[in-house]
Amino acid sequence: MKQIALVTGSSRGIGKEIARELVQSGFQVVLHASKASKDLESTEFEFKKLDHRTSSIVFDVSDGAAVERACKDIFKSIGRVDVLINNAGIARDKTLVNMSDDDWDSVMKVNLYGPFFITKNVLPAMIENNYGRIINISSIAAERGAYGKTNYAAAKSGLIGFTKSLALETGRYNVTANVICPGLIDTEMSRAIPEKYVQKAIEQISLRRVGRTEEIASLVSFLASEKSSYITGAVLDVNGGWL
Ligand code: NDP
């Protein structure tokens, strides 16, 4: 029986590549984004060619009621979720003195409440099945801080604490929870960073380059598999040696 994976924020960027890797590894994947878009449509079209069971769903991860409705729909139509990848995220970069309440709230809502809402809805069925893999996408910003990212770093640090605590609660049910901290990865989100900051970052990265989405997806694929059975509560860096 195919395992079912829900990858949030998989219309483009890191999430899309994670979804591709999982489809290619034999998972039935549910794609997701906040809204219907050309990106989501073309991703679904592309991956349906690899596995006709690939489907997609749209909901705003920061809306608790919408998340609950969507998860019920997934259970009704697909039956279960074995692997949850909390990948959807946003950045609203500003120095703290210039940061509005809305900049703060929106980043918290999407990057931290989002994983909370979804995990809360998906976890009971994983516990019942005595199997599950939860993989959260945090950031290097959570570990070292990042200029103009107090909101983002706070939310992503929260996600690390969330994951470690969750792992303590779920281990006895054979549900693992791990968190990945990517460094600078080439996506639409990172392309919004001014080039001079990217160049400055590259000088500090041991491998002297930004990362590729596949370099996150390959680790996710391993963590999503049964081969990672004794790894839980782990924080895994994929940052090219940005120490
Ligand atoms: P992108 O901006 O390329 O893609 C973000 C995805 O998340 C899209 O599919 C988007 O869909 C979805 N999304 C955004 N907001 C919401 C929402 N409210 N509800 C549902 N879905 C939403 O981002 P990346 O691929 O670069 O980033 C993916 C993850 O990796 C994020 O959590 C990010 O913080 C993290 N990360 C990225 C790094 C990088 O350098 N790129 C570095 C470290 C961490 P839609 O367009 O429909 O809203």
Side-chain angles (χ1 to χ4, degrees):
M1 192 168 48
K2 275 209 169 199
Q3 289 207 341
I4 294 152
L6 169 62
V7 186
T8 70
S10 44
S11 56
R12 59 171 193 266
I14 293 172
K16 177 175 179 177
E17 211 49 46
I18 291 171
R20 184 199 310 280
E21 182 85 31
L22 293 179
V23 171
Q24 287 172 342
S25 306
F27 288 87
Q28 180 179 336
V29 170
V30 181
L31 300 164
H32 161 267
S34 72
K35 56 190 181 301
S37 65
K38 280 254 170 321
D39 280 343
L40 183 62
E41 199 183 308
S42 67
T43 299
E44 187 174 358
F45 181 75
E46 190 181 337
F47 294 172
K48 261 198 156 84
K49 288 192 227 159
L50 302 173
D51 177 4
H52 70 278
R53 278 165 293 199
T54 305
S55 59
S56 68
I57 189 160
V58 293
F59 60 89
D60 180 351
V61 296
S62 68
D63 177 345
V67 171
E68 191 178 342
R69 277 195 305 276
C71 289
K72 279 191 180 139
D73 284 351
I74 293 172
F75 286 127
K76 215 163 138 195
S77 58
I78 302 180
R80 36 175 238 290
V81 172
D82 305 296
V83 174
L84 168 64
I85 321 291
N86 282 310
N87 164 78
I90 58 165
R92 295 277 179 276
D93 295 357
K94 298 226 176 91
T95 54
L96 189 71
V97 286
N98 294 310
M99 189 169 291
S100 68
D101 291 359
D102 187 55
D103 294 328
W104 179 268
D105 286 345
S106 55
V107 168
M108 286 296 159
K109 278 291 216 180
V110 175
N111 295 4
L112 190 54
Y113 277 68
F116 161 68
F117 289 141
I118 303 174
T119 307
K120 196 167 155 56
N121 279 281
V122 164
L123 183 61
M126 287 182 172
I127 289 174
E128 204 171 302
N129 296 337
N130 202 46
Y131 187 83
R133 297 274 185 271
I134 298 166
I135 300 152
N136 295 326
I137 307 298
S138 176
S139 167
I140 190 169
E143 299 174 306
R144 31 179 301 159
Y147 190 90
K149 284 184 178 288
T150 50
N151 52 355
Y152 184 85
K156 293 294 191 181
S157 301
L159 193 54
I160 293 177
F162 171 81
T163 310
K164 287 186 174 185
S165 304
L166 184 67
L168 294 177
E169 295 179 15
T170 61
R172 74 195 67 179
Y173 306 109
N174 197 29
V175 176
T176 63
N178 293 293
V179 58
I180 296 177
C181 294
L184 192 55
I185 308 298
D186 182 29
T187 68
E188 208 166 286
M189 183 187 274
S190 59
R191 278 175 225 136
I193 300 171
E195 185 55 27
K196 64 176 181 181
Y197 294 122
V198 173
Q199 284 311 322
K200 221 169 154 188
I202 288 173
E203 283 166 25
Q204 297 169 44
I205 297 169
S206 175
L207 289 173
R208 293 290 189 273
R209 63 172 176 85
V210 299
R212 296 186 289 270
T213 52
E214 311 90 88
E215 292 170 323
I216 306 299
S218 54
L219 176 60
V220 171
S221 168
F222 170 70
L223 290 174
S225 76
E226 295 188 26
K227 288 184 182 163
S228 69
S229 49
Y230 205 54
I231 303 175
T232 194
V235 184
L236 298 139
D237 294 338
V238 185
N239 60 30
W242 194 359
L243 307 170

